[in-house]
Amino acid sequence: MAPFPSGLLVLTAPLGSVPGRAAAALAAAAGLVAGPLYVHLQPGLLLGGSAPLPAAPPPAPVLLRALAALYSAAAAHRGLDVRVLLGHGHRLAEPPRVLLADGGGGDEDPVSFGLRQLAAAAYGCPPGLPTLLLGGPDGPRAAPECTEGELPAYPDVVVGGTFDRLHGAHRLLLSACCLLARRRLLVGVADGELLRHKVLKELIEPYELRAAKLREFLADVQPSVLYDIVPLGDPYGPAATDPELRCIVVSEETRKGGEAVNKKRLENVILGRGPRPPSPATGAASGSAGSFSWQGLAALELFEIQLIKDPEHGRNEEEKISSSSLRQRLLGTLLRPPREAPTLPPRPYVIGLTGGTGSGKTSIARLLGQLGAFLIDADKLGHAVYLPGGPAYERVLAAFGAEILSEDGTINRKVLGAKVFGNQERLKSLTDIVWPEIARLVRKEIGEADARGKAVCVLDAAVLLEAGWQEMVHEVWTAVIPEEEAVKRIMDRDGLSQEAARSRLRSQMSNSQRVEQSQVVLCTLWEPEVTRKQVEKAWDLLQQRLSHAPAAGSPSR
């Protein structure tokens, strides 16, 4: 049976039993739903009874533990989009196409009827949706819940984060915010300079996409709260200046950030009536009662939630669920479909491998060669076109003069490079001569690969995109490395100063610009064994694409 595009799972067991049942319930539902799996929690409801009416459980600690269990269990099923609903009476972003229950406490027909009634009353679902019971009876009805009281409530709550590829830990954090906020939730989304030192920042989703996903999730989960989603350009954002905020939600690892926000709030001031608060340095108050004075903003209550462990974390990945780990898992996978290339022959299938100086592109090419690819080194072909008698020699000499020649009559590429560096007009004059000639040699090499029966050809070219050579390849693969690591590698390899190495890097196309035009991204930041596994993964996935490819054109995704 093909999976349904979306589904609604109704759990009626006591909330205290959800942590022990979450894994089994989500495992049963995971193969049935391809898109959002909405979860409706209503402890003690008898679906087989008469006219079940929707009711949300109170915002208590036991509910927060149930949420943590569900989102933790969802982490074992990659791609499972779980959204635990904290309110009802609204239409969902993706209307459920199937109704599920973990048992139901009754015969199948009455339970199915009750499911449809509940879904219609709570979320406006149409009658006649298919229903599936996932297991036996949905647990003891009379099991007492813990009497811990409700969670604290605040009119305005704030939370911040990158929120890249919205995962279970994000969803728990946001759900806790929804339980605490009675009026407004302010969500700060890191952007710009705050992303600079993030692992694989080139793979972080654009702010607009992250904000849109946040808004959809929050509107689904709890529509009664007002959501204010804003970009963060510094670590504090409006949390440090908004006088209406009362609580900031943090995790164990972001608690220090919450404390820093409070320190900043105390430094910020508002105009009020009464004595100035004591100075942190002297403890002395200033101003007199009844006079106007400047007062620091009230500190926010810090509400801390637990981190969620990642059951599938691998080498060099964090033990907790994190966006950086999810980005690492994208390395070697197909990020976007291969471009339509009807003029390119299907064989050999050509991969254009590119990357900036120090990116480890050459080591990746070597690994691909060991796996069976036919390698074409554009840099070596570039050397060939400059040789006396080569296709570009005379025109380069005519354009740049005899001072670029060495004593033996060959073109000194270092001298030539110095003449064009930083001069866009001269550089274009050179590339207009050289790049077309290198492209002709590349096409000859591709023909040689075909003659030798090679199925895959890898064009190793640092200027692949700048030269427009992506027109000669079926897919673009890019090697990326953080700028600081690239600078260190260039300094070690070429003996350059830090300033010279950074200048060389910044004269090239950026990692982000390359990634935007790439089908596959790889990274050599970690140990060689990690790089090797990335490349093997990319190669295996490529072979799968080729095995399903049509006789001509590009392979299907």
Side-chain angles (χ1 to χ4, degrees):
M1 179 177 66
F4 293 91
S6 56
L8 175 66
L9 171 61
V10 177
L11 300 179
T12 61
L15 291 179
S17 70
V18 169
R21 310 169 69 91
L26 292 186
L32 300 173
V33 178
L37 175 64
Y38 297 104
V39 180
H40 176 95
L41 297 173
Q42 193 161 339
L45 177 68
L46 287 173
L47 286 170
S50 60
L53 296 176
V62 67
L63 174 57
L64 201 54
R65 290 193 292 273
L67 293 171
L70 287 163
Y71 285 123
S72 180
H77 307 280
R78 290 188 184 180
L80 185 60
D81 181 4
V82 170
R83 307 180 189 187
V84 185
L85 303 170
L86 304 175
H88 56 80
H90 63 289
R91 302 277 179 166
L92 301 170
E94 297 287 340
R97 295 290 185 260
V98 64
L99 305 178
L100 311 169
D102 185 16
D107 295 331
E108 182 173 351
D109 289 344
V111 169
S112 295
F113 182 72
L115 263 178
R116 294 189 182 103
Q117 282 189 306
L118 179 70
Y123 309 108
C125 295
L129 287 178
T131 62
L132 294 170
L133 304 187
L134 302 180
D138 195 23
R141 301 292 158 189
E145 298 287 12
C146 297
T147 55
E148 302 171 286
E150 294 193 2
L151 295 169
Y154 307 92
D156 294 75
V157 174
V158 65
V159 69
T162 305
F163 298 110
D164 180 41
R165 305 178 193 280
L166 206 61
H167 53 63
H170 292 144
R171 293 167 194 242
L172 176 61
L173 181 74
L174 294 164
S175 297
C177 294
C178 292
L179 293 176
L180 299 173
R182 291 295 176 266
R183 188 182 77 89
R184 177 178 65 126
L185 172 60
L186 174 62
V187 185
V189 181
D191 200 31
E193 190 64 19
L194 288 184
L195 304 181
R196 182 179 177 186
H197 297 294
K198 295 287 185 181
V199 175
L200 296 171
K201 66 182 180 68
E202 300 84 5
L203 296 180
I204 294 176
E205 295 170 321
Y207 167 79
E208 292 77 11
L209 179 57
R210 288 179 283 142
K213 288 182 176 180
L214 273 170
R215 194 172 299 281
E216 179 180 297
F217 174 80
L218 290 167
D220 268 343
V221 167
Q222 181 52 281
S224 66
V225 174
L226 173 67
Y227 298 112
D228 191 4
I229 300 173
V230 299
L232 287 183
D234 64 71
Y236 309 106
T241 58
D242 190 328
E244 296 182 339
L245 295 172
R246 292 294 179 267
C247 172
I248 183 169
V249 181
V250 298
S251 67
E252 180 184 346
E253 66 174 9
T254 62
R255 186 177 184 88
K256 287 185 178 179
E259 292 169 348
V261 164
N262 273 340
K263 183 178 179 183
K264 196 74 172 176
R265 284 178 70 86
L266 293 174
E267 294 171 359
N268 288 325
V269 291
I270 56 174
L271 185 63
R273 188 177 292 276
R276 186 184 181 100
S279 163
T282 66
S286 62
S288 59
S291 65
F292 282 99
S293 64
W294 292 101
Q295 299 177 0
L297 292 174
L300 302 175
E301 292 287 338
L302 268 63
F303 187 90
E304 184 177 319
I305 66 158
Q306 67 185 77
L307 298 171
I308 298 181
K309 289 189 175 181
D310 187 344
E312 297 188 355
H313 75 88
R315 186 174 180 180
N316 295 306
E317 294 181 352
E318 297 181 83
E319 289 189 8
K320 66 179 180 69
I321 296 176
S322 72
S323 297
S324 62
S325 294
L326 297 182
R327 292 194 294 275
Q328 287 182 56
R329 292 170 195 169
L330 291 174
L331 296 173
T333 68
L334 193 67
L335 300 180
R336 53 184 58 86
R339 69 184 188 87
E340 294 294 328
T343 60
L344 286 180
R347 285 179 62 99
Y349 195 79
V350 184
I351 301 298
L353 177 63
T354 190
T357 303
S359 65
K361 172 179 60 66
T362 302
S363 64
I364 290 171
R366 192 159 45 243
L367 289 168
L368 289 168
Q370 292 169 7
L371 291 168
F374 183 92
L375 298 184
I376 301 173
D377 187 334
D379 191 53
K380 286 184 178 179
L381 297 180
H383 280 284
V385 303
Y386 283 109
L387 291 175
Y393 180 83
E394 293 296 339
R395 281 182 292 160
V396 171
L397 186 59
F400 294 96
E403 62 267 27
I404 65 171
L405 294 178
S406 301
E407 290 184 3
D408 60 0
T410 59
I411 292 174
N412 187 321
R413 292 181 66 181
K414 285 188 176 181
V415 173
L416 177 60
K419 287 179 74 76
V420 301
F421 186 78
N423 187 317
Q424 291 301 314
E425 186 177 344
R426 286 185 178 181
L427 180 60
K428 187 176 186 307
S429 297
L430 177 62
T431 57
D432 284 349
I433 296 170
V434 173
W435 283 351
E437 297 300 340
I438 297 175
R440 290 189 186 95
L441 295 181
V442 167
R443 291 188 180 94
K444 285 181 64 176
E445 291 289 300
I446 293 172
E448 174 64 19
D450 187 28
R452 292 169 58 175
K454 290 289 187 177
V456 177
C457 197
V458 172
L459 169 59
D460 176 0
V463 295
L464 180 87
L465 299 174
E466 296 91 330
W469 294 341
Q470 64 266 42
E471 300 301 318
M472 295 191 292
V473 307
H474 297 88
E475 294 180 20
V476 174
W477 291 16
T478 290
V480 298
I481 199 77
E483 181 177 304
E484 294 307 314
E485 176 64 20
V487 167
K488 181 177 178 298
R489 291 181 182 185
I490 296 167
M491 292 170 63
D492 292 345
R493 182 190 67 193
D494 300 336
L496 296 180
S497 67
Q498 184 180 81
E499 182 180 353
R502 201 175 300 279
S503 176
R504 178 184 294 182
L505 265 182
R506 293 182 176 175
S507 71
Q508 301 175 355
M509 183 179 284
S510 71
N511 283 340
S512 294
Q513 289 172 316
R514 291 189 181 94
V515 168
E516 286 172 0
Q517 303 179 64
S518 301
Q519 277 71 42
V520 174
V521 173
L522 301 159
C523 180
T524 63
L525 178 61
W526 303 282
E527 297 89 342
E529 177 65 13
V530 176
T531 301
R532 183 183 64 78
K533 287 184 176 179
Q534 274 181 46
V535 173
E536 289 176 349
K537 173 183 174 182
W539 180 262
D540 290 343
L541 292 172
L542 172 64
Q543 300 310 308
Q544 292 176 28
R545 296 199 290 279
L546 293 178
S547 68
H548 294 97
S554 59
S556 59
R557 190 172 182 176

